[in-house]
Amino acid sequence: MSTLTGKAEIFLSLHVRGKPLLQPNAFDAGSARLLQAAGFASIATTSSGFAATLGRRDGRVTRAEALEHFRAVAAAVDIPVAADAENCYADDPDGVAETIRLAAETGLAGCSVEDYDSDKDQIYQRGLAVERVIAAVEASRGRLVLTARAEDLLHGGTLDEAIARIQAYQEAGADVLFVPGLRKAADIRAVVGAVDKPVNVLVVGESPSVAELAEIGVARVSVGGSFTWVAYAAVLAAAQELREHGTYGYAATLATARPVITAALGD
């Protein structure tokens, strides 16, 4: 029986195999409110999306900046919020634990820890990676749903190694398991079948449909920075139209969209 309380308990209960929780990723407080108004039961942050709002690339945000962002997004909505905390801004287990403890004070319902060091562009050795997950689990116990991420497929690793890692992370006590980079249904099925805990799948354009993911047994679906890039692409297209053609076709959807967005933003 779960020892979680409050929004964390609610958040974990939304993870059901075969009935995946659709969890879009917000890049700021405004987009968080818009996604809540759209009817989603929970949302997550996105490290790449938040970095973009600061004019930076992914991996170039400090822990202090990330924590303030978590606090702002969590305070903006009533639904559970999970944080993309990258590698928890630390290599050693003690540093990971400190980040998780600080994140638990921001109003979050969940947090992730990944096994990739962006500064050195390398995956942590498996033993150290497991120690980091153990530290995160102990620090999050009762307060946050802990998602452990195996980043192998994004950095030249193999599916077998990613599966071995999430199995180890499950044994270490992680609540949810996540292998970014999965694309094929067969690979997703192999991951889901290899563990007992809920599995999150990051979807992109060529991913299986939500219905297919449900049939496979996926428990959560996230979009990463995709919604951020969709928003930025819309701004870029509008800017190009204005500069190159001097027309305002980009305003065509505002009559219907603006009232909805304004209502979602609140006072």
Side-chain angles (χ1 to χ4, degrees), residues 191-219:
V191 167
V192 171
V195 293
D196 300 319
K197 296 289 183 71
V199 170
N200 179 92
V201 169
L202 172 66
V203 294
V204 293
E206 66 268 27
S207 295
S209 68
V210 170
E212 292 174 291
L213 295 174
E215 186 278 326
I216 291 171
V218 171

mmCIF file of all heavy atoms in Angstrom, residues 191-219:
data_model
loop_
_atom_site.group_PDB
_atom_site.id
_atom_site.type_symbol
_atom_site.label_atom_id
_atom_site.label_comp_id
_atom_site.label_asym_id
_atom_site.label_seq_id
_atom_site.Cartn_x
_atom_site.Cartn_y
_atom_site.Cartn_z
ATOM 1 N N VAL A 191 9.832 -3.353 -22.996
ATOM 2 C CA VAL A 191 10.081 -2.575 -21.776
ATOM 3 C C VAL A 191 8.957 -2.794 -20.768
ATOM 4 O O VAL A 191 9.197 -3.064 -19.584
ATOM 5 C CB VAL A 191 10.237 -1.080 -22.114
ATOM 6 C CG1 VAL A 191 10.182 -0.232 -20.846
ATOM 7 C CG2 VAL A 191 11.548 -0.846 -22.848
ATOM 8 N N VAL A 192 7.714 -2.674 -21.221
ATOM 9 C CA VAL A 192 6.567 -2.850 -20.323
ATOM 10 C C VAL A 192 6.565 -4.248 -19.716
ATOM 11 O O VAL A 192 6.277 -4.426 -18.521
ATOM 12 C CB VAL A 192 5.252 -2.572 -21.078
ATOM 13 C CG1 VAL A 192 4.041 -2.968 -20.230
ATOM 14 C CG2 VAL A 192 5.158 -1.101 -21.469
ATOM 15 N N GLY A 193 6.919 -5.242 -20.522
ATOM 16 C CA GLY A 193 6.908 -6.616 -20.051
ATOM 17 C C GLY A 193 8.056 -6.969 -19.133
ATOM 18 O O GLY A 193 8.018 -8.007 -18.457
ATOM 19 N N ALA A 194 9.062 -6.112 -19.074
ATOM 20 C CA ALA A 194 10.259 -6.416 -18.289
ATOM 21 C C ALA A 194 10.156 -5.950 -16.841
ATOM 22 O O ALA A 194 11.000 -6.310 -16.019
ATOM 23 C CB ALA A 194 11.486 -5.776 -18.937
ATOM 24 N N VAL A 195 9.141 -5.126 -16.538
ATOM 25 C CA VAL A 195 9.026 -4.560 -15.191
ATOM 26 C C VAL A 195 7.585 -4.660 -14.701
ATOM 27 O O VAL A 195 6.655 -4.882 -15.478
ATOM 28 C CB VAL A 195 9.483 -3.085 -15.168
ATOM 29 C CG1 VAL A 195 10.976 -2.986 -15.446
ATOM 30 C CG2 VAL A 195 8.695 -2.250 -16.172
ATOM 31 N N ASP A 196 7.425 -4.485 -13.401
ATOM 32 C CA ASP A 196 6.096 -4.521 -12.793
ATOM 33 C C ASP A 196 5.530 -3.131 -12.545
ATOM 34 O O ASP A 196 4.316 -2.974 -12.401
ATOM 35 C CB ASP A 196 6.151 -5.274 -11.462
ATOM 36 C CG ASP A 196 6.612 -6.705 -11.631
ATOM 37 O OD1 ASP A 196 6.184 -7.352 -12.608
ATOM 38 O OD2 ASP A 196 7.412 -7.181 -10.800
ATOM 39 N N LYS A 197 6.375 -2.125 -12.451
ATOM 40 C CA LYS A 197 5.946 -0.773 -12.153
ATOM 41 C C LYS A 197 5.411 -0.083 -13.417
ATOM 42 O O LYS A 197 5.687 -0.507 -14.545
ATOM 43 C CB LYS A 197 7.117 0.040 -11.585
ATOM 44 C CG LYS A 197 7.644 -0.474 -10.251
ATOM 45 C CD LYS A 197 6.659 -0.215 -9.138
ATOM 46 C CE LYS A 197 7.212 -0.661 -7.786
ATOM 47 N NZ LYS A 197 8.288 0.218 -7.306
ATOM 48 N N PRO A 198 4.655 1.004 -13.255
ATOM 49 C CA PRO A 198 4.138 1.748 -14.406
ATOM 50 C C PRO A 198 5.268 2.262 -15.295
ATOM 51 O O PRO A 198 6.323 2.663 -14.807
ATOM 52 C CB PRO A 198 3.381 2.919 -13.768
ATOM 53 C CG PRO A 198 3.053 2.460 -12.387
ATOM 54 C CD PRO A 198 4.195 1.584 -11.972
ATOM 55 N N VAL A 199 5.016 2.258 -16.600
ATOM 56 C CA VAL A 199 5.992 2.728 -17.578
ATOM 57 C C VAL A 199 5.452 3.957 -18.297
ATOM 58 O O VAL A 199 4.305 3.980 -18.746
ATOM 59 C CB VAL A 199 6.322 1.628 -18.611
ATOM 60 C CG1 VAL A 199 7.154 2.198 -19.767
ATOM 61 C CG2 VAL A 199 7.058 0.476 -17.946
ATOM 62 N N ASN A 200 6.291 4.987 -18.387
ATOM 63 C CA ASN A 200 5.988 6.202 -19.151
ATOM 64 C C ASN A 200 6.638 6.094 -20.534
ATOM 65 O O ASN A 200 7.772 5.641 -20.662
ATOM 66 C CB ASN A 200 6.557 7.428 -18.434
ATOM 67 C CG ASN A 200 6.289 8.718 -19.202
ATOM 68 O OD1 ASN A 200 5.297 9.385 -18.990
ATOM 69 N ND2 ASN A 200 7.193 9.088 -20.111
ATOM 70 N N VAL A 201 5.903 6.513 -21.550
ATOM 71 C CA VAL A 201 6.454 6.576 -22.909
ATOM 72 C C VAL A 201 6.385 8.015 -23.403
ATOM 73 O O VAL A 201 5.335 8.661 -23.315
ATOM 74 C CB VAL A 201 5.689 5.644 -23.871
ATOM 75 C CG1 VAL A 201 6.091 5.921 -25.323
ATOM 76 C CG2 VAL A 201 5.968 4.185 -23.534
ATOM 77 N N LEU A 202 7.504 8.492 -23.895
ATOM 78 C CA LEU A 202 7.590 9.815 -24.508
ATOM 79 C C LEU A 202 7.211 9.680 -25.978
ATOM 80 O O LEU A 202 7.875 8.964 -26.725
ATOM 81 C CB LEU A 202 9.014 10.360 -24.377
ATOM 82 C CG LEU A 202 9.341 11.640 -25.120
ATOM 83 C CD1 LEU A 202 8.559 12.812 -24.557
ATOM 84 C CD2 LEU A 202 10.833 11.928 -25.068
ATOM 85 N N VAL A 203 6.148 10.352 -26.402
ATOM 86 C CA VAL A 203 5.669 10.186 -27.769
ATOM 87 C C VAL A 203 6.186 11.300 -28.678
ATOM 88 O O VAL A 203 6.355 12.437 -28.266
ATOM 89 C CB VAL A 203 4.129 10.137 -27.827
ATOM 90 C CG1 VAL A 203 3.625 8.882 -27.135
ATOM 91 C CG2 VAL A 203 3.490 11.372 -27.202
ATOM 92 N N VAL A 204 6.439 10.894 -29.920
ATOM 93 C CA VAL A 204 6.820 11.819 -30.986
ATOM 94 C C VAL A 204 5.957 11.479 -32.198
ATOM 95 O O VAL A 204 5.076 10.612 -32.110
ATOM 96 C CB VAL A 204 8.323 11.686 -31.331
ATOM 97 C CG1 VAL A 204 9.185 12.152 -30.169
ATOM 98 C CG2 VAL A 204 8.675 10.250 -31.700
ATOM 99 N N GLY A 205 6.220 12.135 -33.318
ATOM 100 C CA GLY A 205 5.361 11.967 -34.478
ATOM 101 C C GLY A 205 5.174 10.547 -34.952
ATOM 102 O O GLY A 205 4.077 10.160 -35.379
ATOM 103 N N GLU A 206 6.225 9.732 -34.884
ATOM 104 C CA GLU A 206 6.137 8.375 -35.398
ATOM 105 C C GLU A 206 5.797 7.336 -34.338
ATOM 106 O O GLU A 206 5.823 6.133 -34.603
ATOM 107 C CB GLU A 206 7.457 7.983 -36.081
ATOM 108 C CG GLU A 206 8.666 7.887 -35.157
ATOM 109 C CD GLU A 206 9.458 9.175 -35.058
ATOM 110 O OE1 GLU A 206 8.858 10.249 -35.258
ATOM 111 O OE2 GLU A 206 10.660 9.096 -34.765
ATOM 112 N N SER A 207 5.455 7.781 -33.144
ATOM 113 C CA SER A 207 5.121 6.847 -32.065
ATOM 114 C C SER A 207 3.800 6.138 -32.338
ATOM 115 O O SER A 207 2.934 6.659 -33.054
ATOM 116 C CB SER A 207 5.019 7.598 -30.736
ATOM 117 O OG SER A 207 6.252 8.142 -30.345
ATOM 118 N N PRO A 208 3.602 4.963 -31.748
ATOM 119 C CA PRO A 208 2.290 4.312 -31.831
ATOM 120 C C PRO A 208 1.218 5.223 -31.233
ATOM 121 O O PRO A 208 1.503 6.054 -30.377
ATOM 122 C CB PRO A 208 2.478 3.041 -30.986
ATOM 123 C CG PRO A 208 3.946 2.772 -31.010
ATOM 124 C CD PRO A 208 4.595 4.127 -31.028
ATOM 125 N N SER A 209 -0.024 5.043 -31.669
ATOM 126 C CA SER A 209 -1.119 5.850 -31.156
ATOM 127 C C SER A 209 -1.356 5.550 -29.681
ATOM 128 O O SER A 209 -0.898 4.533 -29.153
ATOM 129 C CB SER A 209 -2.398 5.565 -31.942
ATOM 130 O OG SER A 209 -2.850 4.246 -31.669
ATOM 131 N N VAL A 210 -2.101 6.434 -29.027
ATOM 132 C CA VAL A 210 -2.428 6.209 -27.618
ATOM 133 C C VAL A 210 -3.187 4.895 -27.455
ATOM 134 O O VAL A 210 -2.964 4.149 -26.493
ATOM 135 C CB VAL A 210 -3.244 7.384 -27.060
ATOM 136 C CG1 VAL A 210 -3.794 7.055 -25.669
ATOM 137 C CG2 VAL A 210 -2.393 8.650 -27.001
ATOM 138 N N ALA A 211 -4.077 4.590 -28.391
ATOM 139 C CA ALA A 211 -4.821 3.333 -28.318
ATOM 140 C C ALA A 211 -3.870 2.138 -28.383
ATOM 141 O O ALA A 211 -4.044 1.147 -27.648
ATOM 142 C CB ALA A 211 -5.845 3.264 -29.445
ATOM 143 N N GLU A 212 -2.866 2.207 -29.243
ATOM 144 C CA GLU A 212 -1.885 1.123 -29.334
ATOM 145 C C GLU A 212 -1.054 1.030 -28.058
ATOM 146 O O GLU A 212 -0.760 -0.072 -27.574
ATOM 147 C CB GLU A 212 -0.979 1.351 -30.542
ATOM 148 C CG GLU A 212 -1.664 1.198 -31.878
ATOM 149 C CD GLU A 212 -0.759 1.570 -33.045
ATOM 150 O OE1 GLU A 212 -0.446 2.767 -33.191
ATOM 151 O OE2 GLU A 212 -0.357 0.663 -33.782
ATOM 152 N N LEU A 213 -0.668 2.175 -27.513
ATOM 153 C CA LEU A 213 0.100 2.173 -26.272
ATOM 154 C C LEU A 213 -0.718 1.583 -25.127
ATOM 155 O O LEU A 213 -0.182 0.877 -24.262
ATOM 156 C CB LEU A 213 0.552 3.594 -25.936
ATOM 157 C CG LEU A 213 1.545 4.231 -26.919
ATOM 158 C CD1 LEU A 213 1.801 5.685 -26.545
ATOM 159 C CD2 LEU A 213 2.858 3.458 -26.945
ATOM 160 N N ALA A 214 -2.007 1.870 -25.122
ATOM 161 C CA ALA A 214 -2.887 1.296 -24.102
ATOM 162 C C ALA A 214 -2.920 -0.218 -24.222
ATOM 163 O O ALA A 214 -2.838 -0.945 -23.214
ATOM 164 C CB ALA A 214 -4.295 1.870 -24.239
ATOM 165 N N GLU A 215 -3.023 -0.706 -25.434
ATOM 166 C CA GLU A 215 -3.064 -2.156 -25.650
ATOM 167 C C GLU A 215 -1.778 -2.815 -25.193
ATOM 168 O O GLU A 215 -1.789 -3.933 -24.648
ATOM 169 C CB GLU A 215 -3.319 -2.446 -27.141
ATOM 170 C CG GLU A 215 -3.519 -3.901 -27.490
ATOM 171 C CD GLU A 215 -2.222 -4.673 -27.654
ATOM 172 O OE1 GLU A 215 -1.234 -4.075 -28.125
ATOM 173 O OE2 GLU A 215 -2.183 -5.875 -27.290
ATOM 174 N N ILE A 216 -0.655 -2.129 -25.349
ATOM 175 C CA ILE A 216 0.644 -2.655 -24.930
ATOM 176 C C ILE A 216 0.751 -2.709 -23.414
ATOM 177 O O ILE A 216 1.442 -3.560 -22.854
ATOM 178 C CB ILE A 216 1.771 -1.801 -25.539
ATOM 179 C CG1 ILE A 216 1.828 -2.024 -27.057
ATOM 180 C CG2 ILE A 216 3.123 -2.132 -24.908
ATOM 181 C CD1 ILE A 216 2.752 -1.061 -27.778
ATOM 182 N N GLY A 217 0.056 -1.787 -22.726
ATOM 183 C CA GLY A 217 0.106 -1.758 -21.272
ATOM 184 C C GLY A 217 0.829 -0.568 -20.690
ATOM 185 O O GLY A 217 1.183 -0.556 -19.507
ATOM 186 N N VAL A 218 1.059 0.454 -21.516
ATOM 187 C CA VAL A 218 1.703 1.678 -21.040
ATOM 188 C C VAL A 218 0.788 2.355 -20.012
ATOM 189 O O VAL A 218 -0.436 2.347 -20.142
ATOM 190 C CB VAL A 218 1.977 2.625 -22.228
ATOM 191 C CG1 VAL A 218 2.440 3.995 -21.766
ATOM 192 C CG2 VAL A 218 3.010 1.990 -23.157
ATOM 193 N N ALA A 219 1.391 2.949 -18.979
ATOM 194 C CA ALA A 219 0.611 3.577 -17.915
ATOM 195 C C ALA A 219 0.620 5.102 -17.982
ATOM 196 O O ALA A 219 -0.220 5.745 -17.342
ATOM 197 C CB ALA A 219 1.113 3.127 -16.551
#
